[in-house]
Amino acid sequence: KAGVTQTPRYLIKTRGQQVTLSCSPISGHRSVSWYQQTPGQGLQFLFEYFSETQRNKGNFPGRFSGRQFSNSRSEMNVSTLELGDSALYLCASSLGFGGPYEQYFGPGTRLTVT
Amino acid sequence: AQSVTQLDSQVPVFEEAPVELRCNYSSSVSVYLFWYVQYPNQGLQLLLKYLSGSTLVKGINGFEAEFNKSQTSFHLRKPSVHISDTAEYFCAVRGTNAGKSTFGDGTTLTVKP
């Protein structure tokens, strides 16, 4: 069974631009979560989607948004990029929402904002 | 809300020595507990998990962890480490009815020859 895939793996953007990251969960998984990882802040929860509905949201500004499609694939968008948005963005999928479900992580998208 | 404290940011150890990575958590609700490992330029890989039942859980690569509810701890142990265990390790907690996980700041394990 294929793992979680994230595209692109690396991205360089300029301050003020916007970016869209994509995550394809493991087949059959219906929940997708997004995390931001930086050396200073560690792993921070962004949001979680289950059955195309946002179920949880972390403490990030409105510039960060996401969505989930009917095939469970998810995208996250960051508008008006700032230098501090440079980070590794990790996507994780699980079978369901809540409950004893393991999260399986993708390799991440490394975003660099210049 | 939950929080996780990993008590050591860096743990250096010699090859074939035992190691313990410490994790304490706080939560007002019942939780599931996890340990993940992250190698450079990769995502997180699940090492082991505590969902319920036996407080001693065994994971991949010879790691094990013990859930101590009274001390709200979930320490990770390995009796004999290898060079290849050098990586960053994250402890995480998730409420039993919630989807999001809260992670600790990570412990960098460095195994020296």
Side-chain angles (χ1 to χ4, degrees), chain A residues 1-7 9 22-26 29 31-37 42-48 88-95 101-109, chain B residues 34-39 41-48 90-94 99-104:
Chain A
K1 189 181 274 191
V4 179
T5 58
Q6 293 187 245
T7 56
R9 289 293 311 279
S22 181
C23 171
S24 292
I26 291 171
H29 284 195
S31 177
V32 173
S33 299
W34 289 88
Y35 295 86
Q36 181 196 65
Q37 186 177 26
L43 275 155
Q44 301 288 315
F45 172 77
L46 279 157
F47 25 65
E48 178 177 16
L88 180 67
Y89 289 88
L90 292 165
C91 165
S93 78
S94 60
L95 272 171
Y101 299 112
E102 300 175 21
Q103 287 187 309
Y104 294 83
F105 283 80
T109 293
Chain B
F34 306 85
W35 275 99
Y36 291 88
V37 60
Q38 186 177 34
Y39 299 101
N41 298 315
Q42 293 186 27
L44 277 66
Q45 180 184 7
L46 181 67
L47 276 176
L48 49 76
F90 292 92
C91 180
V93 63
R94 189 171 84 230
K100 77 169 213 177
S101 296
T102 300
F103 288 82

Side-chain angles (χ1 to χ4, degrees), chain A residues 66-95:
Chain A
R67 59 178 174 169
Q68 187 180 35
F69 302 96
S70 58
N71 62 357
S72 296
R73 190 178 69 87
S74 178
E75 290 181 347
M76 66 162 283
N77 183 77
V78 188
S79 62
T80 319
L81 283 166
E82 300 178 359
L83 295 177
D85 297 333
S86 294
L88 180 67
Y89 289 88
L90 292 165
C91 165
S93 78
S94 60
L95 272 171

Side-chain angles (χ1 to χ4, degrees), chain B residues 18-77:
Chain B
V19 71
E20 178 179 78
L21 306 184
R22 298 179 295 166
C23 172
N24 288 347
Y25 72 93
S26 71
S27 177
S28 56
V29 299
S30 297
V31 296
Y32 301 125
L33 295 155
F34 306 85
W35 275 99
Y36 291 88
V37 60
Q38 186 177 34
Y39 299 101
N41 298 315
Q42 293 186 27
L44 277 66
Q45 180 184 7
L46 181 67
L47 276 176
L48 49 76
K49 60 188 178 187
Y50 172 78
L51 303 179
S52 65
S54 173
T55 57
L56 182 64
V57 292
K58 295 188 183 297
I60 62 171
N61 302 341
F63 284 94
E64 64 180 33
E66 184 154 20
F67 169 55
N68 188 319
K69 188 174 183 179
S70 62
Q71 298 188 6
T72 59
S73 68
F74 191 54
H75 301 333
L76 181 71
R77 302 185 183 101

